[in-house]
Structure formats: structure tokens, C-alpha cells
Amino acid sequence: MKTYRLLPILMGLSFMVLAGCNEAQEEEARNQEPDQALHSNEMDDYNDRSMDGQVGYVRYKQGQFDQNDEKNQTIKVNREKVADMITRMILKYDGFEDVATLVTDEEVLVAYQTPEGQERELSADMVQKTAYSLVPSFYHVYVSDNPSAFGDIQSLSTTTVYDDQYEEVVDDIINKMKEAPQGKANE
């Protein structure tokens, strides 16, 4: 009879020991360097891993999709992430300390503070080429080191392409930005 009472206690202790070992293994896996592969079947957690390192691959054959639907297909860009990437890339250059980027459906507007002692034209060229390198080729990039450009593009940050007078406001800001050097990509 005492054996039957002891059995649940032993099973409970065994379960706690196994759970503790599993928790220690999980903690060790979390503490491993991100580049180190876990020794398991890579496909077991394929959908659970971060997609940062995942490559993109697509293949179609001509007959796999309707050509009429493809004519209406548009390229979609996460504008906030693109603006973030452009701003971060420019800030990596020596001397750039203040940069703001706005990405619309067709334009990239970048306001920046020219580094001290650097020619305005060189700064504009660096900023413009950086922005062009990170967006699809149909985009137009406008840059300005005029301090008012920060407020101008920030005023657009809460708008959408569907707002009334959106195009006119964007065009006005672009015209003001064109008064500053624009870099050599548009020459």
C-alpha cells in the first residue's frame, strides 16, 4: 500500500526534473549566438524563426498567372520601413547628425543637415544617391539641407495619398526643396 502512495510522488519528482532540464536547454538555446545553428531538423521550426535572414525567391511559368490581372498589379512598398532605412543609412556617413525622410507613393523627400565643412553639393549627392539605392527605379528623390525642409516634410507625415490637396502640397514642398542642391543623379 505504501508503494502506491510513493509512486505518484516519484512520478511528480521525475516530471519536475525533466521539466527543469528542458527549461535549461531552452535557456541555453536562447543564449546561443544568433549565427550558431541549433542541432536539430532545420525544418521543424521553419515558420517560427525570424525572417531577417531568409532570402526571397519566386518562379513562375508564363501560363501560371492571368496576364490581364498582371496588368493591374502594383508594386507595394512599406514606406515607413523604407524611410527608416534611408535615414539610418545617411546617418552612418561621417558628419550627418540630423536627417528626416518621407516616402510617398512616387517620391522620397529627404531633409538633412549638411556636415560642417562639407560642400553642399557633395552632401546632396551622397544623400540623393543613398536614397535612390534603396527604392525602386520609378521613384523620384528630392533632397534639401534647408532647415525649413524638416518642418515641411514632417507636416506630411500624418497625411495619406488620398487626402484632399495632397498632390498640391507635395508639389509645393518639392519645389521648395529644389532650391537646394539636388545631387548629380538627376543631371
Side-chain angles (χ1 to χ4, degrees), residues 103-166:
V103 178
T104 72
D105 54 340
E106 296 176 348
E107 297 93 11
V108 175
L109 310 178
V110 184
Y112 61 95
Q113 182 180 356
T114 299
E116 199 170 312
Q118 190 173 69
E119 293 180 25
R120 291 179 70 202
E121 291 79 15
L122 175 62
S123 296
D125 195 46
M126 291 171 66
V127 170
Q128 185 188 56
K129 286 179 179 177
T130 301
Y132 270 124
S133 74
L134 294 169
V135 295
S137 61
F138 63 84
Y139 270 85
H140 301 283
V141 175
Y142 302 96
V143 301
S144 179
D145 60 355
N146 186 330
S148 67
F150 285 97
D152 290 341
I153 66 172
Q154 184 178 0
S155 71
L156 288 173
S157 66
T158 58
T159 64
T160 69
V161 296
Y162 309 112
D163 290 346
D164 292 339
Q165 300 177 338
Y166 167 80

Side-chain angles (χ1 to χ4, degrees), residues 33-184:
E33 296 206 17
D35 294 338
Q36 240 178 4
L38 296 175
H39 300 289
S40 67
N41 182 349
E42 291 290 330
M43 295 307 286
D44 286 347
D45 61 343
Y46 180 75
N47 291 324
D48 294 335
R49 292 191 317 214
S50 170
M51 296 300 283
D52 288 345
Q54 185 67 37
V55 299
Y57 174 77
V58 176
R59 179 180 177 178
Y60 290 111
K61 291 190 182 222
Q62 188 66 26
Q64 288 180 298
F65 56 87
D66 184 2
Q67 288 296 331
N68 292 327
D69 288 343
E70 285 303 305
K71 290 178 185 174
N72 297 327
Q73 186 75 17
T74 58
I75 296 173
K76 295 182 181 170
V77 175
N78 184 325
R79 297 175 188 139
E80 182 100 15
K81 285 188 177 184
V82 173
D84 183 67
M85 283 191 313
I86 292 168
T87 303
R88 289 173 183 269
M89 290 297 293
I90 294 168
L91 285 171
K92 287 182 180 184
Y93 295 132
D94 288 337
F96 284 89
E97 295 186 20
D98 195 4
V99 179
T101 306
L102 181 102
V103 178
T104 72
D105 54 340
E106 296 176 348
E107 297 93 11
V108 175
L109 310 178
V110 184
Y112 61 95
Q113 182 180 356
T114 299
E116 199 170 312
Q118 190 173 69
E119 293 180 25
R120 291 179 70 202
E121 291 79 15
L122 175 62
S123 296
D125 195 46
M126 291 171 66
V127 170
Q128 185 188 56
K129 286 179 179 177
T130 301
Y132 270 124
S133 74
L134 294 169
V135 295
S137 61
F138 63 84
Y139 270 85
H140 301 283
V141 175
Y142 302 96
V143 301
S144 179
D145 60 355
N146 186 330
S148 67
F150 285 97
D152 290 341
I153 66 172
Q154 184 178 0
S155 71
L156 288 173
S157 66
T158 58
T159 64
T160 69
V161 296
Y162 309 112
D163 290 346
D164 292 339
Q165 300 177 338
Y166 167 80
E167 289 292 328
E168 293 83 15
V169 174
V170 171
D171 288 342
D172 287 345
I173 292 172
I174 288 171
N175 287 331
K176 286 171 61 177
M177 292 181 84
K178 285 181 177 179
E179 294 172 8
Q182 289 300 300
K184 296 177 183 174

